[in-house]
Amino acid sequence: VSRVIPVDTFDLVIFGGTGDLARRKILPGLFRRFRSGQMPAEARIIGAARSEMDDAGYRQMIREAIAEFGSEEKEDAGGIDAFLERLHYVAIDAMGEGGWKQLRDLMRDGVVRAFYFSVAPSLFGALAERLHEHRIADGESRIVVEKPFGRDLASAKALNATLAEHFDESQIYRIDHYLGKETVQNLMATRFGNVLFEPLWNSHYIDHIQITVAETVGVAGRGSYYDKSGAMRDMVQNHLMQLLCLIAMEPPSTYDADTVRDEKLKVIRALQPVEPHQVVRGQYDASQDGPSYREDAENPRSFTESFLALKCHIANWRWAKVPFYIRTGKRMKARSSEIAVVFKDLGHSIFEGDTARHRNILSIQLQPNEGMDLQVTIKEPGPGGMRLVDVPLDMTFADALGPDQEAPDAYERLIMDVIRGDQTLFMRGDEVEAAWAWTDPIIEGWEARNDVPKLYEAGTAGPEDAMMLMHRDGRRWREIK
Ligand code: BG6
């Protein structure tokens, strides 16, 4: 039974419509929403980019993109023709006049207008200005922007100011695709939809929290971007920060965009500065399976980190003295993302001879499979007496949902939210700025010290020092599997 509710009819313009993100994620995602019945049949998608091309050429390009990057869709040729008919193309010059009149003529009145800026941030200002000059955007239109949203506080403020010249905050949708992942949203449902967890969700019962986002891919092919960013700017300032916020925030009074974002902002603002000894930077070395980071990034003298682990604290009542350990890296052992809430040990055990350290651990997996499990201690089944074992209470979503209820990919979900006008899962300007305000001094610190990242072997859990970061505190990272 389909529970899909179609969104209102829309005209979506994708600037950078021939780019990598458009071909890999945005259009295959929109096609899936079309097939599911969520994208209305009258919706119109307009690719806009510099190259000269007609509608037929663009449709062909997207047909190929869907065949390459979509999943099972390629077999459904009938569906794809109907979808491609919804596509148009305009060759546009962001800095000049070319194409704008044509674009205006394509836009319809009385439907939602959204503009996806899938281009370099240096073009945001010019695009916003042209859209207004040519009366294509108005007070109801929405714009979607992508990371990187700045590279420090100053540049993020400048970008926010540029957008604010033409658009109200309520019209700006800053995508962090981690917020579109099924499990990430489930985090809020788990915390605020159950009576079980929230009473324990504080420093009295929680020993520490671990957030891991491990990837197996390297940076080959995108070194020119990545080498100027590194793991802190590429992953921590945005994706991991958002996960941390959802884990740590106070219960919002309603599930509404600004109420939720107000609570997230308070978490970021309460993050304490991080001392140099609480951060470990790593860079992957060459291995049998592949070249080193420096070869991939084509920069033999690079000091950019492809791995980062750090320990931080949130200075408020709920989290006093509870460490948050976060780590992320490329070319690691497995593609695996997990948030683990590790509860405290029992103060006293009534079971004689039981010296094991039983702990409850709530593990929330984002990748590769989305789901949660709760480690609980039970009696080992059988006649062996009162022996205790730890077992997971498994709540894998795929099993619970059933095979027909494929969860939409993060991008598809977020684009549909844009059309619905729901900003809950998008970053507000002040959140992004607060996150940079926290990461800036850490980055400046290692730049000032000419910090050299520790080499780690590809296919591992990162540099040895990252293990030490936890061992020093008598704790251990969860296994990456
Ligand atoms: C992107 C980063 O934002 O997220 C990439 O720029 C990273 O470096 C990617 O690989 C990870 O996304 P996901 O959804 O594959 O975990």
Side-chain angles (χ1 to χ4, degrees), residues 423-453:
Q423 288 186 302
T424 314
L425 299 175
F426 295 83
M427 294 181 294
R428 209 166 54 190
D430 50 4
E431 261 183 273
V432 179
E433 289 182 14
W436 283 120
W438 181 73
T439 51
D440 271 6
I442 308 175
I443 297 173
E444 282 158 14
W446 68 56
E447 282 174 354
R449 290 193 306 278
N450 288 322
D451 188 79
V452 182

Side-chain angles (χ1 to χ4, degrees), residues 147 177-178 181 213 215 217 222 225-226 234-235 238-239 330 335 337 367:
K147 70 178 268 271
H177 78 280
Y178 267 59
K181 292 186 190 266
V213 178
E215 297 182 275
V217 292
R222 62 198 285 260
Y225 151 75
Y226 192 91
D234 184 53
M235 297 291 288
N238 38 76
H239 306 323
K330 304 276 184 208
R335 178 166 187 256
S337 305
Q367 264 145 207

